């Protein structure tokens, strides 16, 4: 008797299962690719078959697209490792996991409260992942090597800019934005905010909001007060200007050292790291020198750098 396979009826649940199985297969392959360190994979040295799969140009359909994507990831990782060596890093920076589908609830850090209903002030983002966030303030130094270095290493960071320091070269930070960096508010003139009236604080914050929107097309949602100093008027003014959150920092990076807020002088999951756009005039070192120093600390401790805005 001839056996006849019954044609499968494609229902919503069946299609959903198929999509789920494909996503699981995709995830398993990508984990294998990245987990292998993207080196020493059979056939990978000359861009050929990867993990026993046909080359990217051979098959069509889902399997071919998956193989091509895996090969693209492998090549990117090889390039990143070469960049780490070229820029003088002893270890290749770790890659952060994908951001959470649901962003964590950000609350004001205990001891930093000044009133209800104001943008939260925090130094660490709630997460269990071994990630930290790199932020760079002010805008005095405009080193093109910084843009090249961090772009080649694929290290995410966020900029907090003061207009009086960036207005002589708005284009530099436009290039930074083109590379995927979010440009945030650090006031117009970098003044000590608690000494100013509410109206003057609002002018400093809202003025910088307008400047960044005019120059770069997007009004910031993040604000960092100069020196990390603020009062209730600062946060009230920031809220009225459209600010959603006020990230401070848990550690500060210099070319020759790290300074810590916490007693244990260590990194913790979700910590925000501060540094500045400075150069030899202030540091007797360059921005790439600073990046080498902070990335050594981060990588040696088993952390990766994630994009702050993905968690807020």
């Amino acid at each position: 008797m001839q056996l006849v396979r019954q044609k499968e009826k494609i229902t919503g649940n069946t299609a959903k299962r198929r999509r789920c199985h494909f996503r699981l297969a995709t995830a398993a392959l990508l984990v294998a690719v990245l987990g292998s360190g993207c080196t020493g994979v059979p056939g990978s040295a000359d861009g050929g078959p990867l993990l026993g799969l046909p080359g990217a140009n051979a098959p069509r359909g889902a399997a071919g697209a998956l193989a091509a994507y895996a090969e693209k990831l492998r090549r990117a990782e090889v390039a990143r490792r070469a960049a780490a060596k070229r820029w003088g890093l002893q270890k290749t920076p770790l890659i952060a996991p994908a951001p959470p589908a649901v962003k964590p609830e950000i609350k004001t850090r205990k001891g930093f409260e000044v009133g209800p209903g104001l943008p939260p002030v925090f130094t660490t983002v709630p997460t269990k992942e071994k990630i930290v966030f790199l932020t760079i303030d002010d805008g005095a130094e405009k080193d093109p090597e910084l843009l090249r270095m961090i772009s080649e290493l694929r290290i995410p960071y966020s900029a907090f800019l003061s207009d009086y320091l960036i207005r002589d070269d708005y284009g530099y930070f436009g290039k930074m934005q083109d590379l995927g960096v979010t440009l945030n508010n650090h006031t117009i003139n970098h003044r000590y905010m608690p000494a100013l009236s509410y109206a003057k604080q609002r002018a400093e914050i809202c003025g910088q909001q307008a400047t960044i929107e005019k120059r770069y097309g997007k009004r910031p949602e993040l604000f960092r007060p100069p020196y990390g100093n603020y009062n209730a008027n600062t946060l009230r003014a920031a809220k009225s200007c459209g600010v959603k959150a006020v990230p401070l920092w848990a550690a500060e990076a210099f070319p020759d050292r790290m300074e810590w807020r916490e007693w244990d002088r260590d990194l913790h999951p979700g910590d925000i790291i501060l540094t500045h756009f400075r150069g030899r005039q202030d540091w007797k070192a360059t921005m790439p020198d600073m990046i080498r120093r902070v990335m050594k600390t981060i990588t040696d401790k088993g952390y990766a750098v994630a994009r702050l805005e993905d968690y807020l």
Side-chain angles (χ1 to χ4, degrees):
M1 182 171 65
Q2 184 178 9
L3 295 178
V4 179
R5 182 185 298 270
Q6 183 178 2
K7 186 176 181 181
E8 182 181 8
K9 182 179 180 182
I10 304 298
T11 65
N13 288 337
T14 302
K16 184 175 180 181
R17 285 197 300 272
R18 286 182 174 180
R19 290 194 298 271
C20 181
H21 292 160
F22 179 75
R23 284 196 296 268
L24 289 173
T26 302
L29 176 58
L30 296 183
V31 167
V33 172
L34 295 177
S36 71
C38 300
T39 58
V41 181
S44 65
D46 58 358
L50 181 65
L51 296 178
L53 293 178
N57 296 324
R60 294 185 178 183
L66 182 58
Y69 183 56
E71 175 66 7
K72 182 178 179 181
L73 289 180
R74 185 197 68 79
R75 290 179 183 272
E77 181 63 11
V78 169
R80 206 171 63 89
R81 291 186 177 211
K85 184 177 181 180
R86 185 166 58 252
W87 287 105
L89 276 67
Q90 295 178 355
K91 299 178 182 178
T92 304
L94 302 174
I95 296 179
V102 178
K103 295 184 178 182
E105 182 181 2
I106 305 296
K107 297 181 179 180
T108 292
R109 177 173 171 156
K110 186 176 181 180
F112 287 62
E113 307 94 338
V114 294
L118 298 175
V121 181
F122 53 99
T123 63
T124 299
V125 173
T127 180
K128 294 181 180 179
E129 301 281 1
K130 289 197 73 173
I131 58 171
V132 293
F133 305 98
L134 181 62
T135 64
I136 312 180
D137 278 12
D138 299 348
E141 181 72 8
K142 302 165 185 70
D143 186 349
E145 292 296 283
L146 173 71
L147 301 185
R148 287 186 53 230
M149 181 184 192
I150 295 193
S151 176
E152 291 178 7
L153 293 171
R154 295 172 58 196
I155 300 171
Y157 63 103
S158 303
F160 288 81
L161 305 177
S162 293
D163 188 61
Y164 86 105
L165 290 171
I166 70 170
R167 63 176 60 136
D168 64 335
D169 191 356
Y170 286 124
Y172 176 82
F173 299 95
K175 294 176 184 177
M176 188 175 291
Q177 184 184 45
D178 291 342
L179 294 171
V181 178
T182 302
L183 308 181
N184 299 299
N185 191 327
H186 199 44
T187 73
I188 293 178
N189 296 300
H190 204 274
R191 299 180 64 184
Y192 177 73
M193 300 299 276
L196 303 180
S197 67
Y198 171 79
K200 290 183 178 179
Q201 292 197 53
R202 191 172 188 278
E204 282 283 334
I205 300 170
C206 287
Q208 184 66 341
Q209 292 285 87
T211 296
I212 292 178
E213 183 176 26
K214 177 182 177 180
R215 295 289 177 177
Y216 305 111
K218 186 175 182 180
R219 199 171 181 85
E221 294 187 348
L222 304 183
F223 162 69
R224 176 175 285 160
Y227 316 107
N229 295 123
Y230 65 94
N231 58 18
N233 280 341
T234 313
L235 300 185
R236 285 177 51 231
K239 182 177 180 179
S240 76
C241 300
V243 169
K244 305 298 184 183
V246 180
L248 297 184
W249 60 91
E252 184 171 358
F254 298 87
D256 60 346
R257 68 189 189 281
M258 296 285 292
E259 292 186 357
W260 310 91
R261 186 185 294 271
E262 305 298 342
W263 65 271
D264 59 357
R265 299 175 59 80
D266 203 356
L267 292 178
H268 312 87
D271 276 356
I272 299 170
I273 299 174
L274 162 70
T275 190
H276 292 84
F277 291 100
R278 302 282 167 80
R280 292 190 182 279
Q281 183 175 353
D282 299 292
W283 279 341
K284 296 181 175 58
T286 66
M287 292 292 291
D289 291 334
M290 180 277 299
I291 294 296
R292 274 187 285 273
R293 178 66 178 82
V294 69
M295 291 311 303
K296 174 175 172 51
T297 299
I298 292 170
T299 308
D300 283 352
K301 292 178 179 292
Y303 284 81
V305 179
R307 184 175 179 270
L308 179 62
E309 289 78 9
D310 289 339
Y311 287 75
L312 303 181

